[in-house]
């Protein structure tokens, strides 16, 4: 077995692109949404987890995005990459989640904590501490800057795709990413026990 694409091996042709699949969903073949879900659920889950820090909420938000994709499928024009369109829906779902969360009163402080993780091997301890520090620094950023860095650094969207998503110029996105990274570095340094310069 050569480890290639199973669909390509079966049919002898390349699998449909995300845009082609979404166009099929828009045109009534809603079962094709399952393929898009399989391709993008992990990416969306990681996006939401980095923004919310809550596993259950992230799972719910992934489901919400695909429900909205199905609901608004007629509005898909295919003028940009499917992923950009999907992230626009994800951003809207996240904003709605934040609004709902502000209206809620937590029952206790422990309910909001992330589940504990198994101890890591000794050789990964330092890397894990650093990752936790980055996560804490990311959590202290304002929501818009955190979202921008998650899209750019963790979801690997290109600057022009983020510009399209945010409906602004690429140069504006570059400046915003630069400022967000600078703020993240400052907060990270402070969390390490240093003082901001």
């Amino acid at each position: 077995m050569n480890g290639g694409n199973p669909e390509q091996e079966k049919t002898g042709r390349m699998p449909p692109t995300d845009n082609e699949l979404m166009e099929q969903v828009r045109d009534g073949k809603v079962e094709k949404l399952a393929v898009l879900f399989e391709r993008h659920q992990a990416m969306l889950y990681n996006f939401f987890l980095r923004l919310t820090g809550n596993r259950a909420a992230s799972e719910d938000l992934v489901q919400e995005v695909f429900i909205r994709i199905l609901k608004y499928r007629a509005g898909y024009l295919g003028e940009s990459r499917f992923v950009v369109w999907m992230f626009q829906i994800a951003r809207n779902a996240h904003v709605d989640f934040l609004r709902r969360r502000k209206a809620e009163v937590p029952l206790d402080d422990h309910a909001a904590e992330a589940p504990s993780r198994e101890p890591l091997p000794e050789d990964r301890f330092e890397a894990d501490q650093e990752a936790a520090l980055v996560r804490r620094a990311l959590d202290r950023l304002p929501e818009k800057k955190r979202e921008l860095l998650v899209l750019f650094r963790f979801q690997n969207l290109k600057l022009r795709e983020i510009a399209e998503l945010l409906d602004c110029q690429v140069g504006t996105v570059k400046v915003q990413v630069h400022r967000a990274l600078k703020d993240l570095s400052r907060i990270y340094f402070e969390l390490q026990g240093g003082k901001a310069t």
Side-chain angles (χ1 to χ4, degrees):
M1 193 162 217
N2 63 8
N5 185 306
E7 189 174 333
Q8 185 179 0
E9 289 173 10
K10 253 196 292 189
T11 63
R13 58 192 151 137
M14 293 298 293
T17 65
D18 291 343
N19 282 28
E20 290 167 343
L21 285 167
M22 190 59 215
E23 287 167 4
Q24 290 177 32
V25 171
R26 180 195 62 205
D27 296 341
K29 294 185 177 179
V30 294
E31 69 277 5
K32 297 293 184 180
L33 190 60
V35 180
L36 289 168
F37 180 82
E38 286 302 315
R39 286 183 185 178
H40 299 291
Q41 67 173 337
M43 177 195 307
L44 275 176
Y45 175 78
N46 288 326
F47 171 70
F48 287 128
L49 187 60
R50 291 187 196 292
L51 291 178
T52 67
N54 183 312
R55 294 176 189 276
S58 298
E59 290 170 1
D60 291 346
L61 282 164
V62 169
Q63 297 295 326
E64 176 65 21
V65 167
F66 280 93
I67 289 169
R68 290 182 185 199
I69 287 173
L70 189 58
K71 183 177 179 179
Y72 300 118
R73 67 186 180 275
Y76 181 74
L77 302 175
E79 294 171 348
S80 61
R81 276 186 50 205
F82 167 77
V83 171
V84 173
W85 188 72
M86 178 185 73
F87 272 115
Q88 184 61 56
I89 292 172
R91 291 181 71 232
N92 292 339
H94 183 244
V95 166
D96 292 345
F97 165 78
L98 291 175
R99 284 187 190 129
R100 284 192 307 269
R101 193 174 72 177
K102 281 183 182 175
E104 295 173 0
V105 177
L107 296 175
D108 68 37
D109 292 339
H110 299 292
E113 290 179 16
S116 63
R117 300 187 305 176
E118 295 293 320
L120 294 171
E122 207 170 290
D123 59 337
R124 291 196 53 202
F125 179 73
E126 191 173 307
D128 186 55
Q129 278 190 319
E130 187 171 315
L133 208 54
V134 169
R135 173 69 200 167
R136 283 179 51 210
L138 197 58
D139 286 345
R140 290 188 181 187
L141 281 177
E143 192 67 39
K144 289 185 188 278
K145 288 183 178 182
R146 184 178 338 140
E147 180 186 61
L148 189 66
L149 287 182
V150 168
L151 289 169
F152 182 68
R153 296 300 298 256
F154 299 106
Q155 300 305 322
N156 298 318
L157 261 64
K158 293 176 176 51
L159 291 173
R160 68 174 170 72
E161 292 173 329
I162 296 171
E164 184 179 341
L165 185 62
L166 301 179
D167 194 26
C168 64
Q169 299 295 317
V170 174
T172 304
V173 173
K174 282 183 184 176
V175 169
Q176 290 175 344
V177 166
H178 175 75
R179 288 178 182 161
L181 285 170
K182 189 174 176 182
D183 288 353
L184 183 68
S185 297
R186 177 184 49 77
I187 294 167
Y188 178 84
F189 185 69
E190 289 171 1
L191 289 172
Q192 281 184 315
K195 296 191 179 181
T197 54

